[in-house]
Amino acid sequence: VPYRYTYPRPVLTVDAAVLGYLMGGGLMVLLIQRKLAPERGRWALPGGHVRMNESIDDAVGRELEEETGLANVKLEQLQAFGAVKRDPTRRSVTVGYFTLVKLSDHRVQAATDASAAEWYPLTRLPELAFDHCEIISVALQRLRERTRTQPIGFALLPTKFSLTDLQRVYEAVLGRSLDKRNFRKKVLALGILQELQELERNVPRRAARLYRFKPAAYRTAIQNGIYFDV
Amino acid sequence: VPYRYTYPRPVLTVDAAVLGYLMGGGLMVLLIQRKLAPERGRWALPGGHVRMNESIDDAVGRELEEETGLANVKLEQLQAFGAVKRDPTRRSVTVGYFTLVKLSDHRVQAATDASAAEWYPLTRLPELAFDHCEIISVALQRLRERTRTQPIGFALLPTKFSLTDLQRVYEAVLGRSLDKRNFRKKVLALGILQELQELERNVPRRAARLYRFKPAAYRTAIQNGIYFDV
DNA sequence: TCAAAAGTGTTCCTGGTACACCCATGC
DNA sequence: GCATGGGTGTACCAGGAACACTTTTGA
C-alpha cells in the first residue's frame, strides 16, 4: 500500500560520522559500502531512513547498529544537510550526527544495507556518496571546537594511555604540533587524570608512564565542561 | 493528485528564530500567529514546508518573507528538531534557523499563513506552538557562543550608537552585567569602531558620544572571526 | 543644586608561551 | 654506545579583573 500525501515530501535520512583514533595512524572514520541504490557500491557514512515512530536521534543509533554492529553509541547532532541536488536521484534531506569511540572497543561488521564496514583514515578517504564528505568535514570542525570544552581525548583512547598518546590525539584533531611541557602542565592541571604504577611494555625506548582518567572527575568534566585551551 | 510513496515520510518544515534588540527592552523575537491548523491561533516562529525544488536554506528565507515581510535576511542553521511528538497531530521534523536584525530596519507585517506578526521580548513569551520554545532557547545559546567570535552587537544596533548601548546588548545576550571600563577598553581595541563627531540628543543627562562600525574592518572581522572575550 | 549617566587609568595577578637538557631503555 | 622518545622547570610577558572619582547636562 503506497502512502499518499497532498503535497510532495522529501526523503528524510540520518547519517553518522563515527570517529576513532588509531595509534600511529591518526583520526579514522567508520564507512560502509552501500548495498542498495542510489550510489550502490560506493563508500558512505552509515545511515538511513527515519521511521515514523522514532525520533531522529533514535533513528541514527538504530541505523548505525544495523549497518555496522556498533550499538549503544550516543550520537550528537551536527545539523541538517538539505541542498536540492545532494542526492542526484531524488530530493532528500539528511541530518548529520557524530560521535567519538575507542577503536579497540568495537569490532565492526557489515550488515543489512551495507556490504562492508571499515575504518578509513581521514587523510585518505575514498570517493564518498552524496555530500558525505561535507558531513565529515563539519564533524571535524565540531570536534575541534569540542577540544576547548570537553575532554575529547579520553573518548578516543584505550583505558590506559601515556601522556604522549594523549598529546598525539590533540595534535591529530587540531592539525598542529603542541609543546610537550606545556601540554603536560595543562592536562595534569585539569585534575581528571590518575597516574598509574604501570609503564608501557615492549617499546624500543624508555617506557612511558601510563595514566587513566578518574571516572568521577571525568564525568563532572563532561557535564560542567572544562576550559582547556591547548 | 496525491503524491504516493512506498514508505511513509515525515513532514519536513523550517522555522526561523529572528532576534532583535530593543533599546531599553532587551532581546526580542519575531513571532507570528498561525492562521492554519495545526495549532491554529497560537503564536509560533515563522516557518513552513520545504518545497521539492528549493534547498532548506532557501525555504526558510522564503517562508520568513511570506509570513512577515522580512526579505533578504541571511539565516544560519541551528539544527534539526525531530522528536516524535513535537507536533501532536502528525509526524513532522523541522530545521531551526536563526539570525540577528536591526529592529529599526524592518517594519513587519503579517501575510499568507499568519494572521499577525509581532516582536515579543524573550523574557515574556506567550505560549508557543510545537517545540518552538526549545528552538528559541537553542538560538539564544548559539548567540551567546557567537559573542566570542563575531561582532554581534552591530547586527542588532542602529547605525549610530553609544558604547553604553553596545554594552547593554552584550549584557542582555550574556545575562550578566559587565564592567564599563573594561568593556570599552576591549571593544575599542578591536579596531572596528569609528568615533563620530556627534552626540546623543534629547537625553536628560550628559549626552554620550556616538560611534559606528567601520564597514571594511567590520567585514574583515565577520569573515576572519574575532577574539572578543567579554 | 540635584539626579543620572558619561567618561577615564592604574595596579595586581594569573596564566600562556617559549625554551634545552638529562634519563632510561632496547638493540 | 647509540638511537629514540620520556620526562622535567623557569623566566618573561600579555592580557584580564578589580576598582572610584570627576564631568556634563537637563530638570
Side-chain angles (χ1 to χ4, degrees):
Chain A
V1 239
Y3 293 85
R4 300 150 157 265
Y5 304 109
T6 310
Y7 296 99
R9 299 183 176 187
V11 170
L12 183 67
T13 61
V14 286
D15 289 296
V18 180
L19 303 180
Y21 178 78
L22 179 62
M23 302 273 200
L27 285 169
M28 313 287 280
V29 60
L30 180 56
L31 299 178
I32 59 135
Q33 196 166 26
R34 292 178 61 86
K35 204 192 275 183
L36 304 174
E39 304 266 20
R40 184 172 172 214
R42 191 162 285 191
W43 290 94
L45 295 176
H49 299 275
V50 175
R51 295 183 183 162
M52 298 304 267
N53 59 354
E54 68 185 354
S55 69
I56 55 175
D57 293 358
D58 290 343
V60 71
R62 176 184 54 72
E63 286 285 351
L64 179 61
E65 178 169 6
E66 284 182 8
E67 293 187 344
T68 70
L70 277 206
N72 302 318
V73 174
K74 176 100 183 147
L75 291 130
E76 171 182 330
Q77 190 191 133
L78 295 169
Q79 58 168 98
F81 295 81
V84 175
K85 296 287 184 195
R86 59 173 295 279
D87 178 341
T89 66
R90 57 184 182 172
R91 180 66 203 280
S92 81
V93 171
T94 200
V95 182
Y97 285 76
F98 98 113
T99 192
L100 303 177
V101 302
K102 302 185 204 298
L103 279 192
S104 51
D105 277 8
H106 303 287
R107 193 105 316 269
V108 303
Q109 191 168 352
T112 66
D113 305 342
S115 55
E118 276 178 34
W119 292 99
Y120 275 85
L122 273 191
T123 51
R124 307 217 155 211
L125 293 178
E127 198 181 338
L128 294 181
F130 311 122
D131 52 1
H132 287 188
C133 191
E134 189 189 345
I135 298 178
I136 291 172
S137 105
V138 172
L140 184 58
Q141 233 173 279
R142 179 76 63 100
L143 176 55
R144 285 186 177 152
E145 296 166 11
R146 192 55 37 87
T147 55
R148 293 180 190 289
T149 55
Q150 297 282 315
I152 56 129
F154 312 123
L156 293 166
L157 287 171
T159 316
K160 300 174 184 180
F161 51 87
S162 71
L163 293 184
T164 301
D165 293 334
L166 187 55
Q167 183 174 340
R168 296 270 174 278
V169 170
Y170 276 87
E171 289 176 336
V173 170
L174 296 174
R176 60 191 167 93
S177 60
L178 302 172
D179 181 90
K180 183 164 54 159
R181 279 172 291 191
N182 292 335
F183 180 81
R184 286 168 184 238
K185 221 186 314 174
K186 287 181 206 170
V187 78
L188 289 174
L190 291 176
I192 59 181
L193 284 188
Q194 177 168 35
E195 186 178 326
L196 298 174
Q197 301 314 314
E198 200 173 340
L199 304 178
E200 288 179 317
R201 291 165 188 270
N202 305 320
V203 288
R205 48 172 158 84
R206 175 174 176 183
R209 176 169 299 277
L210 297 180
Y211 291 77
R212 67 183 182 94
F213 58 83
K214 302 183 198 159
Y218 177 64
R219 274 195 299 276
T220 314
I222 292 277
Q223 276 168 22
N224 303 349
I226 56 178
Y227 183 68
F228 186 57
D229 199 354
V230 274
Chain B
V1 238
Y3 292 85
R4 303 151 153 262
Y5 304 109
T6 311
Y7 296 99
R9 299 184 176 186
V11 170
L12 182 67
T13 62
V14 287
D15 289 296
V18 180
L19 303 180
Y21 178 79
L22 180 62
M23 302 271 201
L27 284 170
M28 313 287 281
V29 60
L30 180 56
L31 298 179
I32 59 136
Q33 197 165 26
R34 292 176 61 86
K35 203 193 275 183
L36 303 175
E39 304 266 19
R40 187 175 169 208
R42 190 160 287 190
W43 290 94
L45 295 176
H49 298 276
V50 175
R51 295 182 184 163
M52 298 302 267
N53 58 355
E54 67 186 355
S55 70
I56 55 175
D57 293 359
D58 291 343
V60 70
R62 176 184 54 74
E63 286 285 352
L64 179 61
E65 176 168 7
E66 284 181 10
E67 293 187 345
T68 70
L70 276 206
N72 301 319
V73 174
K74 176 101 184 147
L75 292 129
E76 172 182 328
Q77 190 191 133
L78 295 169
Q79 57 167 98
F81 295 82
V84 175
K85 297 286 184 196
R86 59 173 295 279
D87 179 340
T89 66
R90 57 183 180 171
R91 180 66 203 281
S92 81
V93 172
T94 200
V95 181
Y97 284 77
F98 99 112
T99 193
L100 304 176
V101 301
K102 302 184 204 297
L103 280 191
S104 51
D105 277 6
H106 302 286
R107 194 102 320 270
V108 303
Q109 191 168 351
T112 64
D113 305 343
S115 55
E118 276 178 36
W119 292 100
Y120 275 86
L122 273 191
T123 51
R124 308 218 156 213
L125 293 178
E127 198 180 339
L128 295 181
F130 311 121
D131 52 0
H132 287 187
C133 191
E134 189 190 344
I135 298 178
I136 291 172
S137 105
V138 173
L140 184 59
Q141 232 174 281
R142 180 75 63 100
L143 177 54
R144 283 184 179 153
E145 296 165 11
R146 193 56 35 88
T147 55
R148 292 179 190 288
T149 55
Q150 297 282 315
I152 57 130
F154 312 123
L156 293 165
L157 287 170
T159 315
K160 300 174 183 180
F161 53 86
S162 70
L163 293 184
T164 301
D165 294 333
L166 186 55
Q167 183 174 341
R168 297 268 175 279
V169 170
Y170 277 88
E171 288 175 337
V173 169
L174 297 173
R176 62 193 167 92
S177 60
L178 302 171
D179 181 88
K180 182 163 55 158
R181 280 172 290 191
N182 291 336
F183 180 81
R184 287 169 183 237
K185 222 184 311 174
K186 288 181 206 171
V187 78
L188 290 174
L190 291 177
I192 59 180
L193 284 187
Q194 177 167 36
E195 187 177 325
L196 298 175
Q197 301 313 315
E198 200 174 338
L199 303 178
E200 288 179 316
R201 291 163 188 274
N202 305 320
V203 288
R205 48 173 157 81
R206 175 172 176 184
R209 177 170 299 277
L210 297 180
Y211 291 77
R212 69 182 181 92
F213 58 83
K214 302 182 199 161
Y218 176 65
R219 274 193 300 276
T220 314
I222 292 275
Q223 276 168 23
N224 303 350
I226 56 178
Y227 183 68
F228 186 56
D229 198 356
V230 273

